[in-house]
Amino acid sequence: MKIKYDKFGPEKIIQVYDPKTGMRGVTVIHNTNLGPGKGGIRMTPTVDVEEVYRLAETMTWKNALADIPFGGAKSGIIADDKKISQEEKDEIVAAFSKAIKEVTPELYIAGPDMNMAEHEMEIFANANGDKKSCTGKPAEMGGLPHELGSTGFGVYHSTLVAIEHLGLKHEEISVAIEGFGNVGTFLMKFLTEKGIKVVGVSDSKGTIYNKEGLDYDKLMKVKEESGSVINYEEGEKLESKDLLALDVEILIPAAIPDLITNENKDSIKAKIIPCGSNLPISEEIEEEFHKKGILVIPDFVANAGGVISSYVETIEGTPEKMFEIVEEKITANTLEMLERSKEKNIKPRDASMEIAKERVEARDKNV
Ligand code: NAD
């Protein structure tokens, strides 16, 4: 097992088993300097300690950079949810919740990840007996659902900061968005409301492009009624991959990982790439883009709206409060990253990692 122990952690690795339900799970609490470790629970047949450890460490930096009072943690339950009934799944989630009760919510706060959603978080909170033990609960239990669009709203604010940083004028900008799901739809809504033109949008079936701009309400209707953006009439239909090469100032990945590769990187014309999706671009390509003057806002800075929303859920905030805090934190964090990047001439990802590490070190409980 490749676990790297250093001054940051991991602080605790808890492996649990319940013979009655057959539940097997693991929670890794990587670092709690800034607050209880926060990270979702994933249920897959292959999840193991090493995978959970890597994700827990990532959460330490993501939460520190989001500037919320959470450390980093993650959980995994080893089960194939396609081979068990919902009832069995609920029993396993409840057994897992009881098994790690000792560390919640003081050292660990759970949330949904792969194959876990609102319903499972309700089961988790009820089995635990404390609503504060997890986020992602149904709205009736004080949850702040994804459908409010916190992530898209955060990516939008990160984009606005970058536009200002490069001194671009809203009316001269055109944007392409990869993916028209939870992140992509809200992103387009907020951008168009601000008067920024979205000219290209893709989904798994293709890309729709109109250099005069796409109409958000019409595109939503087309997507809902026909299942794809390509059925929007006033535009050119292209393949999904063609979105990358569109003549735009801003390209926003909001669907798949590894979108930008060595094969397609030279076709990109955009000057700003705020990453809505996770891992759409490798660090090496980010470095090349930095040298070429293309500004990449890394995923863990731009798409932190979701984790910030989780924090607002733990303080029992309203949706209005959530939007206010997401805007404030994402704007401040993006700005701090851009200033550090410029000052030291390092790529934004390196600047943001420096900031995250400094925040965690500044609160080192062992010093
Ligand atoms: P989603 O499932 O709601 O939507 C995904 C969209 O991507 C769909 O419109 C789908 O058609 C499209 N898509 C799939 N394959 C494509 C392809 N090859 N080309 C273009 N489009 C394609 O997902 P989401 O919640 O919007 O998440 C998108 C990304 O953002 C994921 O990487 C996710 O991990 C990341 N993310 C999401 C959140 C969140 O709160 N939803 C938070 C952080 C990061």
Side-chain angles (χ1 to χ4, degrees):
M1 196 197 312
K2 281 187 242 100
I3 291 189
K4 198 176 114 259
Y5 294 90
D6 60 22
K7 64 178 175 179
F8 296 109
E11 292 176 9
K12 275 188 176 42
I13 298 177
I14 306 162
Q15 287 184 273
V16 291
Y17 169 60
D18 174 48
K20 195 160 157 264
T21 54
M23 177 279 294
R24 280 189 299 151
V26 55
T27 296
V28 176
I29 299 170
H30 177 256
N31 187 286
T32 58
N33 286 3
L34 297 175
K38 174 85 184 79
I41 308 171
R42 61 173 52 179
M43 179 183 276
T44 67
T46 53
V47 65
D48 60 14
V49 178
E50 193 183 326
E51 178 180 333
V52 176
Y53 149 74
R54 279 193 291 110
L55 295 163
E57 180 177 3
T58 308
M59 289 310 295
T60 297
W61 312 130
K62 185 164 187 165
N63 291 333
L65 198 78
D67 200 21
I68 49 179
F70 285 151
K74 198 85 184 180
S75 291
I77 299 177
I78 307 156
D80 188 345
D81 84 325
K82 284 168 198 74
K83 293 196 178 140
I84 53 175
S85 65
Q86 184 63 48
E87 210 176 10
E88 286 168 311
K89 187 173 178 179
D90 291 355
E91 282 174 8
I92 289 174
V93 172
F96 181 70
S97 172
K98 286 181 186 149
I100 61 161
K101 184 172 165 48
E102 219 175 291
V103 290
T104 57
E106 291 78 16
L107 294 177
Y108 177 57
I109 299 175
D113 193 62
M114 285 159 79
N115 299 320
M116 292 279 146
E118 251 177 49
H119 168 76
E120 286 75 20
M121 291 305 106
E122 181 176 354
I123 300 283
F124 184 95
N126 287 337
N128 179 285
D130 188 344
K131 265 198 332 192
K132 287 197 173 359
S133 61
C134 68
T135 63
K137 301 178 293 288
E140 313 81 76
M141 287 180 88
L144 290 170
H146 269 335
E147 289 70 37
L148 291 169
S150 56
T151 302
F153 187 65
V155 181
Y156 158 70
H157 278 289
S158 210
T159 307
L160 288 188
V161 174
I163 291 172
E164 199 166 316
H165 183 76
L166 294 190
L168 303 175
K169 292 201 177 66
H170 286 187
E171 57 280 11
E172 291 167 0
I173 296 170
S174 52
V175 181
I177 301 175
E178 179 238 8
F180 204 52
N182 182 280
V183 179
T185 52
F186 281 103
L187 198 45
M188 179 170 180
K189 176 175 186 283
F190 297 124
L191 286 167
T192 44
E193 278 172 6
K194 188 79 179 172
I196 297 173
K197 207 161 56 177
V198 176
V199 298
V201 170
S202 69
D203 62 21
S204 58
K205 307 228 171 64
T207 294
I208 188 79
Y209 173 64
N210 182 334
K211 73 174 179 8
E212 303 307 325
L214 301 164
D215 183 275
Y216 168 75
D217 292 321
K218 272 193 209 163
L219 194 60
M220 277 300 278
K221 197 158 178 278
V222 168
K223 175 82 179 170
E224 272 162 23
E225 285 174 0
S226 74
S228 174
V229 294
I230 55 167
N231 299 312
Y232 183 96
E233 278 173 9
E234 297 126 52
E236 201 181 326
K237 293 171 198 20
L238 306 165
E239 286 187 44
S240 300
K241 62 178 175 49
D242 297 335
L243 181 100
L244 293 189
L246 292 180
D247 191 9
V248 292
E249 281 71 36
I250 304 178
L251 169 68
I252 311 186
I256 58 167
D258 301 316
L259 172 75
I260 299 168
T261 61
N262 281 328
E263 284 66 49
N264 62 31
K265 66 183 181 194
D266 294 328
S267 69
I268 292 173
K269 300 185 184 72
K271 297 187 192 75
I272 307 176
I273 307 179
C275 299
S277 53
N278 289 320
L279 307 171
I281 179 169
S282 69
E283 272 206 51
E284 293 71 41
I285 302 180
E286 270 185 34
E287 185 72 47
E288 275 178 48
F289 280 6
H290 175 66
K291 289 187 178 133
K292 275 169 74 176
I294 300 174
L295 172 56
V296 179
I297 307 181
D299 45 11
F300 70 112
V301 176
N303 75 19
V307 294
I308 297 171
S309 171
S310 303
Y311 159 64
V312 180
E313 184 173 330
T314 64
I315 57 166
E316 296 174 7
T318 58
E320 293 70 37
K321 189 81 195 158
M322 179 275 286
F323 284 118
E324 192 187 309
I325 297 184
V326 168
E327 175 174 349
E328 178 197 311
K329 299 256 180 217
I330 296 262
T331 303
N333 292 331
T334 308
L335 201 58
E336 190 173 345
M337 173 195 76
L338 291 175
E339 280 166 357
R340 171 91 54 123
S341 162
K342 195 170 169 187
E343 189 190 311
K344 293 191 149 183
N345 192 23
I346 51 176
K347 68 175 183 297
R349 173 176 295 275
D350 297 341
S352 56
M353 270 309 283
E354 270 191 22
I355 294 167
K357 287 201 168 163
E358 280 170 17
R359 287 180 183 168
V360 176
E361 271 172 335
R363 294 275 199 86
D364 193 341
K365 292 178 296 192
N366 303 314
V367 177

